[in-house]
Amino acid sequence: MKYSKYSTVVIGSGIAGLYAALKIEQQANLPDGLLLITKSKLGESNSRYAQGGMVGVLKENLKDSTESHISDTLKAGAGLSELNTVKFISENSDKVIKDLLNFGVEFDRNEKGELTFTLEAAHSVNRVLHAGGDATGRMIEQALCRKVSSNKNIEIYEQTVAVELLINSEKDCRGVVVFNDITKEYETIYAPAIILATGGIGQLYKYTTNPSGATGDGIALAYNAGAVMQDLEFVQFHPTALAFDDEENRFLISEAVRGEGAKLVDADGIEFMQNYDSRKELAPRDIVTRANYNEMKKNNTNNVFLNATCIPKDKIEKRFPNISKKCKEHGIDMAQDFIPVAPAAHYYMGGVKTDIEGRTSINGLFAIGEVSSTGLHGGNRLASNSLLECVVCAYEVANYLKTAYLNAPKQIDETIKAEIDTYTVTEDFRPIDVTALKNELKDIMWNHTGILRDEKTLKEGLDKLERLSSKFPRTGKCQTKAEYEFKNMLTVAKLITMSALNRKESRGAHYRLDYLQTNEESEHSYTTKYEGEICFAK
Ligand code: FAD
Ligand code: SIN
């Protein structure tokens, strides 16, 4: 076992992690240095695939205001968004976007060189900035990766999985154990500040827009460390993923296509959204998702269709070059043909409970980006608010650490030593077909803890997850990255399912067929690990 120490460790190299590393390096005093860890290649993340854009309530957009953005976010959030958080993030969007421009992010502009804004569902005005047409995430991520890679004060570990947070007897986080998936070696890293920026959980579901790394690792790490978790039952399903299976996920057909006028239709070309909501295609995401799902069930089909033929061909090519290219690969010409689409797991509103500076309930442990639950999104995220939250919270965690004492811990207590020892034991591993186990878990989650839930299906799902656990013999140390991921997926799948059982109402993306009404009295749900068991707290 190798040992090292740093002033701060950032885990995850999506937009939240990359930007946090850059801002911390700019501002904080780092006597023991800064380390950025990622389990894949630098920048490989959900962030890279973000299409539609990033909310920017910019001073120069005279049609917009923070009041309007706050109101839209609160409405979409189904009564669970925190007003102070929403306000803070909205009011800071102008500042962080200007900062991103300084870091070399090139948002799309019109012929006059002005930034252009598009419309997405449940936004009252055009306020979504985009880059590379429909490649917003990739453009931001590449600009930040360039800065991180050329910054000699940021050390980078790639292909390195964070496998356990080190918590001392005082319940403070003092470091992390990591596993190099290439060399198969472990390393203990001590640091006074550990920042989880590990992204979402989409891979827990059979159909998802998320790439293979979205296995909920940070959720499992924080939960196992004893952190307070929030609203774990809230999974967002996007209404329009292309209904063809790629290797690891389904390709997203951005909401911005509906923002430009595309309509949802059935196999006969008949529009149906007017039967579900007066805002039709631009209703909040949970409503459009359930409408599509309902139409599919009613007509016994695997998809509905998106009719984008009303958008001029040249506009399609300019605004949606990647979506149009992907459709062509499947023989679909967006300007002439209907696009087969279906809902897919997309985003996790639940997560590690944090404040705006990323502080969790554990001293020394921070969480930012999709792994966190700041209270911005509530029960249903407004489109393009995620990238904004990633950037504002990364900015704020750096701001917080500016004044923190960041010397690596000098003494390690017995609780941590005992934990580290478990990784030095040699074990006789028998091989496991993790891919098969992962697929089984994804089926269970899609069928039992999916878009529509009720007590019976959730309980059956839990039973199946318990049976699946018994096929996986690892409890601590694993042999590969994929095994660690599966271990985390199991933990998070149970957490989501139990939390979904516990919330006896329908609200936002959590839709219970046996409790259709919203209970006006209900609030956030909080979950912690207590004496090894899941504990729901008020
Ligand atoms: P991620 O970008 O997911 O990065 C997580 C990082 O953590 C990765 O580098 C991963 O390798 C690393 N990691 C995970 N576990 C470990 C571990 N155990 N050890 C080490 N490293 C680890 N949002 C918007 O606002 N606008 C959009 O237009 C938009 N479009 C989207 C389109 C798609 C197809 C998808 C999937 C999402 C979209 N979203 C969008 C959501 C948004 O992209 C994500 O919520 C956001 O990018 C999350 O960023 P993040 O930095 O928190 O996590
Ligand atoms: C999309 O482009 O539809 C995704 C936007 C988002 O998830 O915020």
Side-chain angles (χ1 to χ4, degrees), residues 2 4-6 8-10 21 25 32-38 42 148-149 151-158 187 189:
K2 194 177 153 197
S4 54
K5 55 178 189 167
Y6 288 88
T8 300
V9 179
V10 178
E25 193 281 326
D32 293 304
L34 172 62
L35 175 65
L36 177 65
I37 291 174
T38 176
L42 193 69
V148 165
S149 304
N151 188 322
K152 58 180 182 350
N153 296 327
I154 303 176
E155 198 170 335
I156 301 165
Y157 284 5
E158 290 181 306
E187 180 170 339
I189 302 169

Side-chain angles (χ1 to χ4, degrees), residues 12-13 16 39 44-47 50 52-53 162 217 347 370 384 386-387:
S13 68
K39 67 175 175 177
E44 180 50 45
S45 58
N46 271 10
S47 297
D217 297 9
Y347 183 82
E370 192 167 337
S384 291
S386 171
L387 294 180

